Amino acid sequence: MADLEVYKNLSPEKVERCMSVMQSGTQMIKLKRGSKGLVRLFYLDEHRTRLRWRPSRKSEKAKILIDSIYKVTEGRQSEIFHRQAEGNFDPSCCFTIYHGNHMESLDLITSNPEEARTWITGLKYLMAGISDEDSLAKRQRTHDQWVKQTFEEADKNGDGLLNIEEIHQLMHKLNVNLPRRKVRQMFQEADTDENQGTLTFEEFCVFYKMMSLRRDLYLLLLSYSDKKDHLTVEELAQFLKVEQKMNNVTTDYCLDIIKKFEVSEENKVKNVLGIEGFTNFMRSPACDIFNPLHHEVYQDMDQPLCNYYIASSHNTYLTGDQLLSQSKVDMYARVLQEGCRCVEVDCWDGPDGEPVVHHGYTLTSKILFRDVVETINKHAFVKNEFPVILSIENHCSLQQQRKIAQYLKGIFRDKLDLSSIDTGECKQLPSPQSLKGKILVKGKKLPYHLGDDAEEGEVSDEDSADEIEDECKFKLHYNNGTTEHQVESFIRKKLESLLKESQIRDKEDPDSFTVRALLKATHEGLNAHLKQSPDVKESGKKSHGRSLMTNFGKHKKTTKSRSKSYSTDDEEDTQQNTVKEGGQLYRLGRRRKTMKLCRELSDLVVYTNSVAAQDIVDDGTTGNVLSFSETRAHQVVQQKSEQFMIYNQKQLTRIYPSAYRIDSSNFNPLPYWNAGCQLVALNYQSEGRMMQLNRAKFKTNGNCGYVLKPQQMCKGTFNPFSGDPLPANPKKQLILKVISGQQLPKPPDSMFGDRGEIIDPFVEVEIIGLPVDCCKDQTRVVDDNGFNPVWEETLTFTVHMPEIALVRFLVWDHDPIGRDFVGQRTVTFSSLVPGYRHVYLEGLTEASIFVHITINEIYGKWSPLILNPSYTILHFLGATKNRQLQGLKGLFNKNPRHSSAENNSHYVRKRSIGDRILRRTASAPAKGRKKSKMGFQEMVEIKDSVSEATRDQDGVLRRTTRSLQARPVSMPVDRNLLGALSLPVSETAKDTEGKENSLVQI
């Protein structure tokens, strides 16, 4: 952040003065929406990592991580401040802290301007330090903070010491299941000072290191050090070459590793790496599963725009749901700095001739278009210079359209000038490289037949809000004395309760659609409310609340009874729209709407002209952007996938969420990426599985927002639903050994929190990509150990198109009635690094999985039984084909598991609570054994003889017992565990080469 640069150079005296004041605490007024304000003591914790306050009913939750602060603004700039009367507070005493994913604001008022200035300076100094850190420094800082915080939380009486009982309680919280005798022994070894019976923080650090000693890493070190307790420079180089598959490993590189990670000064002098330094190195970003080279832009950026996936946001301004949430200009700054390159702006006529941005026909708040453009201009190119696409949804009158054009030209200036862009002789879109620093306006363009002298004209009007029936749109008329505030208050309360109801679902369940009944029932309830009650009274509110809920219930029954005419949004759209075999790609079945467009706004659209499907003419021109809602795009992908892929080789396509996703849930982007769609727009404010996939997709290539599509999608075509979509291309085999876990916490939704039972973890690995590649497998359950569980299990996957595949690691806690989500990490297949790697779970400081990765190329015809032991005979006999059919018929149905079984498009099945519990119970493997994928006993017997196979030196599959499970030969830990420590390093290298060369080819 450019405005933080100045704070990096503050004098040490000024910094310490600010920190001293902040850590001592300052009484300030905390403003809240709808209240007069609360006086609280705000202070910075001693580690300078958290802002806290007291008193608070939230207790431990009354804190804001410095890491989570997006920005600090001076004066009365926030919406809450704007609601206060002008003379209430001195602006020089006011400041706002924006933090978290939803850009929440903490609005504070000090007693004098000097205190406000001290806090603003101190906070910005801390933010500047964090923004300047490299990945290694950040990892070390967060680790140190975590250890310190763990110590403080364990210190129940606050005396700065931990006794043995507090240590036992901490062991339970950290999911450590050790005998009390062993804990006491380590406690006594760490307790070295005069004050026996308690541990200081320094002694606790020693105790924690003893407790955290990694047996797997120690055995790995021994296997490469000739049984010594350290690695020499030569041995370290051998390990990096053989196991980590690193090229050009030099002596200087190895010495640099020792210098950075070794903690013993004696070892540093001897130029050797001990177990503690080796552990630090293996847990550092250098040994993360994500390729460190992919943190920078490494792909060819000189190809046409249509050859890239582009990170895209839907209704960017919203902070929450699509009906009630706040619109904030800061959301544009946030998503742009996260790497998003296509943002959406919904423009409507505002008061005083000023266009505003908000979600039409809803109760979302309004922000000025001018403020949005200024924010985009300020933040568009802070993180990277690749072009930003401004997707304008225009609902304005001609007069305010001209105002929009005026703001765009006046604020963006030369960022809009595309006259110097060279697209070459052939008609094709420019490249991201040639468009660096430019902003592309995506919108409507006047037809060419009007001529250049026409000041305005008619264009087609596709409005995403038109997906909602007219009777469901909020077009409010206030009468009988009812005020806008009363109406909004009434609707807000009812919708919030209904939205909460809709959000009770499995964290990993993508079927989070909110039905149209919610909108329609709310509208009916509102009409009844306005007719019956001229004055809104408390008693009236209660009765109308019952009326609204009754309407919702009735409407749900009506929806069921009407299931003969439609069952899901997808099916209704299928009936309303048709796909033609002829020249048009797609035809909509609804009446054509038009609107007036002014010349000034039209002329700003150059390479990104928004077109309707019926306007597409294949005349060789480029520069059109076709927009589909997910429901309509779903039909095209199913029925015309190859034709759609060819279209996307010349033009851009934008897919946005259905208007019925009023809770801002997200659809699965994979089917549209698989068809070559570039702009798959998601609700960035909604965390969950789909945004995790999107984040993983675009983290590669330097998180610049542009990821090159596979070459097969840019030229030629293939059927993404085929069982072997690219028969001439080599496939990839991923051999993934899940070795162990580290410091896995209790599930975030655990009923008893830290006091709950020690978890029983297992790991699930999922491949997400083309339908034929989508599969998952999992380890067995480890009982009562979340701190350092060991699985030592090998999972194998075959991937046809690795360029678009994602690998998803999930950790679950098994319990008698199902499983609880612990954490996840998703990585693009192309960013996986071979060797021993740590998979840090997203959003969790210390939690990780330790794995070994081998990637082989497979040529020739695919044989799942031989090349993929994770597949069962059931897959071989047709389950893969069934999955393709299921993908075609029910990719976006509410219940995809049943869609292939039901050919009747009117069939509706709602999952009962009992069904969900049974499904969740069945999803976890039984303790002590691996989950079987078979549906009947004979398949289990076949699997035992196939999936438990290993290879001998000739590459032939051999059956083995469970205790000697198939593992990559390149893993010396296995040999150590089997007593083969004497194997020399050179032999290990030979074994590795033999393993890679012995792959069966068919």
Side-chain angles (χ1 to χ4, degrees):
M1 297 178 187
D3 58 337
L4 294 178
E5 288 296 322
V6 65
Y7 291 91
K8 295 177 184 176
N9 303 315
L10 292 177
S11 67
E13 296 79 15
K14 187 167 187 178
V15 169
E16 283 309 312
R17 188 165 61 250
C18 289
M19 295 299 113
S20 174
V21 170
M22 294 165 70
Q23 289 180 320
S24 300
T26 304
Q27 278 207 332
M28 293 186 256
I29 298 173
K30 176 186 174 187
L31 277 188
K32 295 183 71 175
R33 191 186 306 274
S35 68
K36 293 182 179 179
L38 306 168
V39 178
R40 296 287 182 263
L41 178 70
F42 288 83
Y43 61 98
L44 183 69
D45 72 353
E46 62 175 295
H47 316 300
R48 302 178 180 180
T49 60
R50 288 173 172 78
L51 170 62
R52 310 192 74 125
W53 59 92
R54 60 173 185 261
S56 172
R57 287 177 297 176
K58 295 180 181 177
S59 183
E60 276 302 307
K61 293 183 179 179
K63 61 188 177 188
I64 294 174
L65 294 174
I66 301 298
D67 277 6
S68 74
I69 297 178
Y70 166 67
K71 72 172 181 178
V72 179
T73 60
E74 305 177 43
R76 297 163 43 92
Q77 295 191 38
S78 75
E79 181 190 348
I80 290 179
F81 272 125
H82 287 163
R83 293 190 176 204
Q84 302 291 324
E86 192 66 40
N88 279 6
F89 307 108
D90 181 358
S92 61
C93 297
C94 303
F95 66 99
T96 301
I97 300 170
Y98 292 95
H99 62 98
N101 287 337
H102 298 293
M103 300 295 292
E104 300 162 68
S105 66
L106 176 63
D107 301 276
L108 301 173
I109 305 160
T110 60
S111 56
N112 60 70
E114 186 180 345
E115 286 180 341
R117 171 47 45 196
T118 298
W119 274 87
I120 292 167
T121 302
L123 288 170
K124 289 192 174 184
Y125 168 79
L126 294 172
M127 291 166 64
I130 290 171
S131 69
D132 210 29
E133 283 180 331
D134 61 20
S135 56
L136 177 60
K138 184 172 183 178
R139 177 68 56 82
Q140 187 60 49
R141 176 177 60 81
T142 53
H143 170 76
D144 294 344
Q145 290 172 1
W146 182 86
V147 173
K148 185 69 174 175
Q149 182 188 348
T150 301
F151 176 82
E152 290 176 348
E153 290 176 358
D155 182 15
K156 301 297 183 184
N157 58 9
D159 62 356
L161 301 168
L162 296 185
N163 57 40
I164 189 65
E165 192 52 45
E166 288 172 326
I167 287 291
H168 283 310
Q169 291 176 19
L170 177 60
M171 296 294 98
H172 185 84
K173 176 185 174 181
L174 295 178
N175 290 306
V176 180
N177 187 15
L178 284 175
R180 284 182 165 250
R181 175 181 52 79
K182 179 69 175 174
V183 174
R184 182 171 289 279
Q185 179 186 340
M186 290 192 296
F187 184 94
Q188 289 170 348
E189 286 181 29
D191 187 10
T192 55
D193 65 2
E194 297 177 356
N195 192 7
Q196 291 291 299
T198 56
L199 299 182
T200 63
F201 175 68
E202 290 72 23
E203 291 172 330
F204 171 73
C205 290
V206 174
F207 173 85
Y208 180 76
K209 284 179 182 176
M210 291 164 50
M211 185 178 67
S212 304
L213 181 63
R214 295 272 300 277
R215 183 171 180 268
D216 51 1
L217 291 180
Y218 185 61
L219 292 175
L220 184 57
L221 179 141
L222 288 179
S223 68
Y224 275 88
S225 66
D226 196 20
K227 300 184 184 179
K228 303 188 300 293
D229 63 354
H230 61 263
L231 290 170
T232 64
V233 171
E234 295 75 19
E235 291 164 345
L236 177 59
Q238 179 75 350
F239 168 76
L240 296 176
K241 291 172 187 175
V242 174
E243 290 298 346
Q244 307 302 79
K245 308 298 181 194
M246 293 179 63
N247 300 319
N248 306 318
V249 177
T250 64
T251 301
D252 287 342
Y253 180 76
C254 295
L255 288 171
D256 189 52
I257 289 174
I258 294 170
K259 181 181 176 182
K260 277 184 181 176
F261 298 102
E262 180 54 54
V263 293
S264 163
E265 291 300 324
E266 183 182 349
N267 283 350
K268 284 183 180 180
V269 172
K270 294 179 180 178
N271 286 331
V272 297
L273 192 66
I275 180 58
E276 198 171 339
F278 184 65
T279 301
N280 291 341
F281 170 64
M282 292 301 294
R283 286 183 65 84
S284 75
C287 292
D288 190 83
I289 194 169
F290 185 85
N291 190 336
L293 298 178
H294 291 189
H295 286 299
E296 305 296 329
V297 175
Y298 69 96
Q299 295 179 343
D300 176 11
M301 303 303 287
D302 287 312
Q303 298 191 29
L305 279 178
C306 53
N307 285 5
Y308 297 86
Y309 298 113
I310 304 172
S312 306
S313 163
H314 170 251
N315 288 355
T316 311
Y317 46 88
L318 290 180
T319 58
D321 65 76
Q322 302 287 308
L323 288 179
L324 306 169
S325 64
Q326 297 296 308
S327 304
K328 290 186 178 178
V329 294
D330 295 305
M331 289 300 292
Y332 288 93
R334 183 197 138 200
V335 302
L336 287 168
Q337 295 196 52
E338 284 180 8
C340 179
R341 295 286 92 183
C342 177
V343 295
E344 184 174 14
V345 187
D346 286 345
C347 306
W348 298 79
D349 281 351
D352 305 320
E354 287 290 334
V356 295
V357 174
H358 79 115
H359 193 27
Y361 314 120
T362 70
L363 297 174
T364 55
S365 62
K366 300 176 177 65
I367 51 179
L368 290 175
F369 176 81
R370 182 186 65 245
D371 293 344
V372 168
V373 176
E374 286 174 346
T375 301
I376 293 171
N377 186 55
K378 182 178 179 182
H379 297 277
F381 305 111
V382 170
K383 292 292 184 180
N384 74 77
E385 293 184 43
F386 290 107
V388 170
I389 299 173
L390 200 62
S391 180
I392 290 185
E393 198 167 295
N394 177 16
H395 307 273
C396 292
S397 62
L398 288 171
Q399 180 184 357
Q400 295 209 14
Q401 284 180 34
R402 293 188 176 97
K403 202 70 173 285
I404 288 173
Q406 176 188 328
Y407 285 136
L408 291 173
K409 288 187 282 190
I411 295 170
F412 289 149
R413 297 181 182 275
D414 58 348
K415 295 184 180 74
L416 292 177
D417 182 12
L418 304 177
S419 58
S420 61
I421 306 300
D422 181 20
T423 59
E425 294 180 7
C426 56
K427 293 181 178 179
Q428 65 177 19
L429 290 167
S431 68
Q433 185 70 30
S434 66
L435 290 169
K436 270 190 168 183
K438 299 297 183 182
I439 292 176
L440 304 179
V441 176
K442 172 188 162 294
K444 287 292 176 184
K445 199 165 181 65
L446 289 175
Y448 292 108
H449 65 75
L450 286 180
D452 294 339
D453 56 342
E455 290 299 314
E456 60 190 55
E458 295 276 335
V459 293
S460 62
D461 178 21
E462 298 85 41
D463 176 4
S464 63
D466 283 343
E467 242 190 3
I468 306 176
E469 294 95 335
D470 281 339
E471 70 264 28
C472 292
K473 296 176 181 176
F474 290 120
K475 298 177 181 177
L476 303 178
H477 303 283
Y478 311 109
N479 48 33
N480 299 329
T482 307
T483 66
E484 179 179 357
H485 177 71
Q486 289 169 332
V487 172
E488 181 179 339
S489 176
F490 172 80
I491 298 174
R492 190 174 292 278
K493 285 180 182 177
K494 299 310 164 192
L495 278 178
E496 280 174 351
S497 67
L498 292 173
L499 281 170
K500 283 177 184 175
E501 234 177 79
S502 76
Q503 289 166 354
I504 302 172
R505 56 179 182 268
D506 192 331
K507 277 184 180 294
E508 279 293 303
D509 188 352
D511 306 330
S512 56
F513 233 72
T514 307
V515 292
R516 69 190 66 216
L518 195 157
L519 268 177
K520 194 169 285 186
T522 304
H523 188 270
E524 291 168 0
L526 172 63
N527 283 342
H529 171 75
L530 291 178
K531 287 176 184 175
Q532 295 171 17
S533 177
D535 300 307
V536 180
K537 298 180 181 177
E538 282 301 314
S539 59
K541 283 183 181 178
K542 290 179 182 177
S543 64
H544 298 313
R546 286 196 297 272
S547 168
L548 179 61
M549 294 303 288
T550 306
N551 274 335
F552 183 62
K554 284 179 182 175
H555 192 80
K556 283 202 286 191
K557 291 176 184 175
T558 307
T559 305
K560 269 191 176 178
S561 66
R562 287 176 54 195
S563 61
K564 292 181 180 178
S565 55
Y566 69 88
S567 65
T568 69
D569 301 326
D570 301 341
E571 289 157 1
E572 183 183 43
D573 278 323
T574 306
Q575 294 166 10
Q576 287 185 353
N577 305 294
T578 59
V579 179
K580 286 186 66 176
E581 295 290 337
Q584 293 177 356
L585 175 67
Y586 197 76
R587 176 175 291 282
L588 302 180
R590 55 179 72 194
R591 192 174 61 189
R592 181 80 174 248
K593 289 176 63 178
T594 61
M595 64 172 289
K596 282 193 176 295
L597 178 68
C598 74
R599 170 65 63 184
E600 293 93 326
L601 194 51
S602 170
D603 286 347
L604 296 179
V605 178
V606 181
Y607 297 114
T608 45
N609 175 26
S610 295
V611 294
Q614 59 264 42
D615 294 334
I616 295 175
V617 178
D618 190 10
D619 60 357
T621 60
T622 58
N624 293 329
V625 182
L626 178 62
S627 289
F628 279 139
S629 78
E630 60 174 289
T631 51
R632 297 168 195 159
H634 169 49
Q635 295 168 356
V636 180
V637 168
Q638 285 193 338
Q639 299 172 23
K640 297 281 183 180
S641 59
E642 292 182 59
Q643 189 178 343
F644 201 18
M645 194 178 294
I646 292 171
Y647 174 83
N648 288 325
Q649 291 171 3
K650 293 282 183 67
Q651 310 282 11
L652 298 175
T653 302
R654 181 175 183 267
I655 314 295
Y656 55 86
S658 164
Y660 290 102
R661 289 188 181 273
I662 60 175
D663 59 349
S664 293
S665 60
N666 281 310
F667 60 89
N668 184 1
L670 258 297
Y672 309 111
W673 288 334
N674 291 347
C677 298
Q678 301 87 354
L679 301 158
V680 182
L682 298 183
N683 293 305
Y684 269 57
Q685 73 273 29
S686 296
E687 188 52 48
R689 175 185 170 92
M690 303 315 168
M691 267 308 295
Q692 289 160 3
L693 300 184
N694 191 74
R695 218 168 19 243
K697 178 82 170 177
F698 290 102
K699 185 176 180 182
T700 191
N701 203 30
N703 196 33
C704 72
Y706 287 84
V707 172
L708 194 60
K709 295 197 296 189
Q711 197 58 34
Q712 301 93 325
M713 283 188 180
C714 301
K715 293 178 181 177
T717 185
F718 64 91
N719 180 4
F721 297 105
S722 167
D724 193 2
L726 300 162
N729 290 24
K731 303 160 187 62
K732 296 283 189 183
Q733 184 191 47
L734 172 63
I735 302 173
L736 180 68
K737 177 156 190 180
V738 182
I739 302 169
S740 61
Q742 294 77 43
Q743 295 160 47
L744 304 175
K746 292 179 171 60
D749 298 330
S750 174
M751 185 180 298
F752 298 103
D754 295 336
R755 295 179 293 108
E757 292 183 347
I758 292 175
I759 64 171
D760 306 323
F762 67 95
V763 177
E764 181 179 74
V765 180
E766 182 179 5
I767 305 295
I768 306 166
L770 291 181
V772 70
D773 290 335
C774 291
C775 60
K776 60 177 73 171
D777 204 350
Q778 56 198 33
T779 66
R780 71 184 189 282
V781 173
V782 172
D783 292 339
D784 297 329
N785 187 353
F787 190 75
N788 54 3
V790 175
W791 291 284
E792 292 277 349
E793 292 197 41
T794 301
L795 311 177
T796 309
F797 304 93
T798 299
V799 182
H800 291 68
M801 185 173 268
E803 297 91 340
I804 60 172
L806 301 171
V807 183
R808 186 167 170 82
F809 299 85
L810 297 117
V811 178
W812 299 93
D813 173 25
H814 173 70
D815 65 52
I817 62 165
R819 59 183 186 174
D820 294 311
F821 176 79
V822 174
Q824 70 82 35
R825 172 86 178 275
T826 309
V827 184
T828 53
F829 189 101
S830 57
S831 293
L832 294 178
V833 196
Y836 289 99
R837 304 290 165 182
H838 278 93
V839 184
Y840 279 91
L841 302 183
E842 199 173 89
L844 300 174
T845 307
E846 293 290 295
S848 64
I849 314 165
F850 187 47
V851 300
H852 182 275
I853 291 175
T854 305
I855 299 174
N856 298 313
E857 277 201 345
I858 302 171
Y859 295 88
K861 188 171 177 58
W862 176 47
S863 175
L865 280 177
I866 294 176
L867 296 176
N868 195 344
S870 294
Y871 272 72
T872 64
I873 199 76
L874 191 63
H875 289 78
F876 187 60
L877 295 176
T880 303
K881 187 174 180 182
N882 288 340
R883 186 171 63 238
Q884 294 161 20
L885 293 175
Q886 177 179 321
L888 280 165
K889 293 176 182 175
L891 206 54
F892 280 87
N893 286 359
K894 307 295 187 301
N895 296 292
R897 290 180 180 82
H898 311 298
S899 57
S900 60
E902 291 292 336
N903 294 323
N904 184 353
S905 64
H906 312 309
Y907 174 77
V908 181
R909 172 170 176 175
K910 298 220 175 208
R911 187 186 294 146
S912 67
I913 292 176
D915 283 345
R916 184 177 288 276
I917 290 175
L918 287 173
R919 179 179 69 82
R920 284 165 56 82
T921 305
S923 67
K927 293 187 180 182
R929 67 176 177 85
K930 198 172 181 179
K931 178 188 172 186
S932 170
K933 294 186 177 181
M934 315 316 293
F936 41 92
Q937 185 59 37
E938 53 266 39
M939 290 302 168
V940 177
E941 292 169 3
I942 292 171
K943 180 179 179 181
D944 286 341
S945 65
V946 176
S947 66
E948 296 296 339
T950 186
R951 303 180 191 281
D952 62 13
Q953 292 179 351
D954 298 319
V956 180
L957 286 169
R958 301 293 185 197
R959 189 171 177 177
T960 184
T961 62
R962 184 68 183 171
S963 60
L964 298 178
Q965 186 178 358
R967 301 183 177 98
V969 180
S970 62
M971 181 169 180
V973 173
D974 294 343
R975 299 195 298 276
N976 291 337
L977 294 174
L978 297 174
L981 281 169
S982 59
L983 189 67
V985 173
S986 59
E987 212 172 310
T988 305
K990 289 177 184 176
D991 284 349
T992 306
E993 292 173 10
K995 168 78 173 73
E996 292 173 349
N997 295 330
S998 66
L999 197 63
V1000 178
Q1001 296 186 6
I1002 299 176

